[in-house]
Amino acid sequence: MYNKTYVESGSELFEMFNKLSQEAIKLTMDLNNKYHSPEEIVDIFTELTGRKVDKSFRLFPPFYTDCGKNIKIGKNVFINSCCRFQDQGGIDIGDNVLIGHNTTIATLNHEYNPKKRANLTLAAVKISDNVWIGSDCTILPGVQINEGAIIAAGSVVTKNVPKYCIVAGNPAKIIKEIEV
């Protein structure tokens, strides 16, 4: 798991995330509410992330994020419709990754103490090359999914996933190794 960062409610960083979320809402509203060519989607995603997104990137809207600037996208990435990326902690997606419908990638959590509940704990998610994430999956903060892994539809990934294996369930467990 990745290192965690603590962000106190009302802090400068917390307020910066609020500002970025407004920019992300504006861009995703445009993305989600009218037709865009694949090339236009690449341009919108480049603006959303603040990084050059490769022309091989494909996305089927709608897509939702509450920040955008902490998403890194490799080459030949496909994100299917209705995905939600909570990226304040960072989401790094490698090359040749497929992400199925309605997948949620979360990189933050809240305090258990109700008096501090608005404070955030951030932990990055890393998705390595050649990963396939099935539909309706949830990837929790701090998880690394290693090269060639498959996440079965409906899985909740709570810990790191080794290379070339299939995980399934809630919480996701290894069900098979992939021969390469």
Side-chain angles (χ1 to χ4, degrees):
M1 293 227 185
Y2 284 98
N3 292 331
K4 294 180 179 179
T5 302
Y6 187 75
V7 179
E8 196 167 316
S9 176
S11 69
E12 193 174 313
L13 183 56
F14 189 90
E15 294 308 320
M16 183 190 73
F17 285 145
N18 284 331
K19 181 179 178 244
L20 292 174
S21 71
Q22 293 306 305
E23 292 174 22
I25 289 169
K26 183 179 176 188
L27 288 167
T28 56
M29 287 292 287
D30 177 54
L31 173 70
N32 296 335
N33 289 300
K34 66 180 181 179
Y35 173 78
H36 294 281
S37 69
E39 296 78 18
E40 290 171 326
I41 290 173
V42 167
D43 291 342
I44 292 169
F45 232 78
T46 293
E47 185 176 356
L48 180 66
T49 63
R51 298 176 172 82
K52 179 70 178 145
V53 174
D54 191 77
K55 65 181 180 177
S56 62
F57 173 71
R58 290 294 176 262
L59 170 95
F60 287 174
F63 173 83
Y64 307 94
T65 185
D66 54 5
C67 185
K69 299 298 186 221
N70 295 318
I71 300 171
K72 296 178 186 173
I73 302 282
K75 294 179 181 177
N76 299 310
V77 170
F78 173 70
I79 300 172
N80 219 323
S81 61
C82 298
C83 289
R84 294 162 190 84
F85 288 12
Q86 184 188 53
D87 66 288
Q88 286 91 334
I91 297 172
D92 188 349
I93 300 172
D95 296 337
N96 307 308
V97 172
L98 304 173
I99 300 176
H101 293 90
N102 207 38
T103 290
T104 298
I105 302 175
T107 67
L108 68 81
N109 210 337
H110 294 274
E111 284 268 347
Y112 293 155
N113 180 340
K115 293 178 182 174
K116 298 180 179 182
R117 184 99 3 112
N119 296 343
L120 307 173
T121 303
L122 311 176
V125 168
K126 166 93 169 113
I127 301 169
S128 298
D129 295 346
N130 305 306
V131 167
W132 174 18
I133 299 173
S135 296
D136 295 306
C137 290
T138 300
I139 314 301
L140 294 182
V143 166
Q144 180 167 343
I145 302 173
N146 287 290
E147 183 169 350
I150 297 173
I151 312 303
S155 296
V156 177
V157 182
T158 61
K159 59 185 179 180
N160 293 349
V161 177
K163 287 181 178 183
Y164 304 109
C165 68
I166 301 171
V167 299
N170 179 6
K173 293 182 169 74
I174 297 172
I175 61 169
K176 184 175 183 175
E177 291 185 18
I178 300 168
E179 292 186 33
V180 197

